[in-house]
Amino acid sequence: MKHHLPGLSWPRLSSAPIQVSCHFCDALQEAPRLLEGNAAYCCRCGEMLYQNRPRSLARATGFSSAALIFMVLAHSFPSITIDSGGMRRELTLLEAADALFHEANPMIGVLAIVFTIIAPLTLMGGLLYVAGPLRFGIALPGALNVTRIFQLSEPWSMLEVFLVGILVALLKLHAVGEVHLGTGLWALIGLVFCTAAAMSGIDKLELWDRLEIAMHKGEKPAHLHSAEEHPQP
């Protein structure tokens, strides 16, 4: 019989303790349940193993939804506007990637699209697809594969690097003409912050554990299956 203890971390599939390995020193140790807001640290090196973040699924859902909205705004409106010699040029993120592809190096243009559009969209869209239904104990079809994919795309989402590159370019463009910051740039800044907040809002161990619970929800215990297969006379 499962016991869901009030005030403790997410419920597990069984009452038996689980073990986790430290990502820093690979020490294998028990993973105890935690009070909301507490963290577990490695008994050997002191590195944090995982944390029971308050309202983790709600934070992940809210920030990922906001990140997708900012992403639409960042690619719909110009990021910068340049006035030089009576000419006015507005540039969006997609136009910047297109300019890199045709006027600089095609590989750089492709990488800009991958790192600033495909990877962030996969990351935030996948997190919303998984975390949103999990708030209600539901795992949508393909949630396991989606979780693997968006976690693999996390290191390739380099919006902050692209943002720093834009800010450095703005310093040089001031020598060419008058530069105005557009809605797209402010939306990109909001996208960077929301992406970071969404990914830091939930622990990976908790996400996988909640996902496993939702997928097994409604399944009959093994002893019930055996009783149905071998009814008593």
Side-chain angles (χ1 to χ4, degrees):
M1 180 178 180
K2 298 178 185 177
H3 297 280
H4 301 281
L5 304 179
L8 297 183
S9 62
W10 60 94
R12 301 197 180 279
L13 290 175
S14 65
S15 58
I18 65 170
Q19 291 185 324
V20 295
S21 61
C22 177
H23 65 278
F24 187 78
C25 67
D26 292 330
L28 190 64
Q29 53 211 289
E30 283 193 5
R33 297 185 179 186
L34 302 175
L35 291 169
E36 191 175 77
N38 290 350
Y41 296 88
C42 178
C43 59
R44 177 185 291 176
C45 65
E47 287 290 317
M48 188 173 72
L49 298 174
Y50 57 92
Q51 183 180 9
N52 183 11
R53 294 172 172 85
R55 300 181 299 278
S56 55
L57 288 176
R59 290 175 180 269
T61 302
F63 280 116
S64 58
S65 301
L68 292 176
I69 295 174
F70 278 126
M71 183 175 295
V72 173
L73 296 176
H75 293 290
S76 301
F77 293 93
S79 298
I80 57 175
T81 302
I82 305 174
D83 292 324
S84 177
M87 298 181 61
R88 185 180 182 89
R89 176 71 185 273
E90 294 181 344
L91 194 65
T92 64
L93 296 179
L94 286 175
E95 290 174 344
D98 182 70
L100 289 172
F101 183 85
H102 290 95
E103 300 177 15
N105 189 318
M107 181 60 68
I108 296 178
V110 172
L111 293 178
I113 293 176
V114 171
F115 295 151
T116 62
I117 300 177
I118 298 178
L121 181 61
T122 303
L123 183 62
M124 291 295 96
L127 181 60
L128 180 61
Y129 182 86
V130 175
L134 278 182
R135 293 189 61 191
F136 308 99
I138 300 173
L140 293 181
L144 278 177
N145 292 328
V146 172
T147 304
R148 294 189 185 99
I149 291 172
F150 84 73
Q151 288 187 353
L152 287 175
S153 67
E154 182 179 359
W156 301 103
S157 179
M158 301 184 182
L159 287 170
E160 62 279 1
V161 178
F162 192 71
L163 179 60
V164 171
I166 292 178
L167 296 178
V168 172
L170 289 176
L171 298 177
K172 298 182 178 181
L173 289 175
H174 273 293
V176 178
E178 188 176 355
V179 179
H180 305 279
L181 304 182
T183 305
L185 183 62
W186 297 112
L188 180 62
I189 294 175
L191 174 59
V192 171
F193 280 102
C194 286
T195 301
M199 295 310 298
S200 62
I202 187 168
D203 187 86
K204 291 182 178 180
L205 178 63
E206 178 184 358
L207 180 62
W208 281 107
D209 199 19
R210 288 185 181 274
L211 186 59
E212 187 176 6
I213 292 168
M215 293 185 65
H216 287 77
K217 191 176 182 180
E219 291 186 1
K220 295 182 179 180
H223 68 276
L224 293 182
H225 283 289
S226 59
E228 291 178 356
E229 293 175 0
H230 304 285
Q232 297 292 332

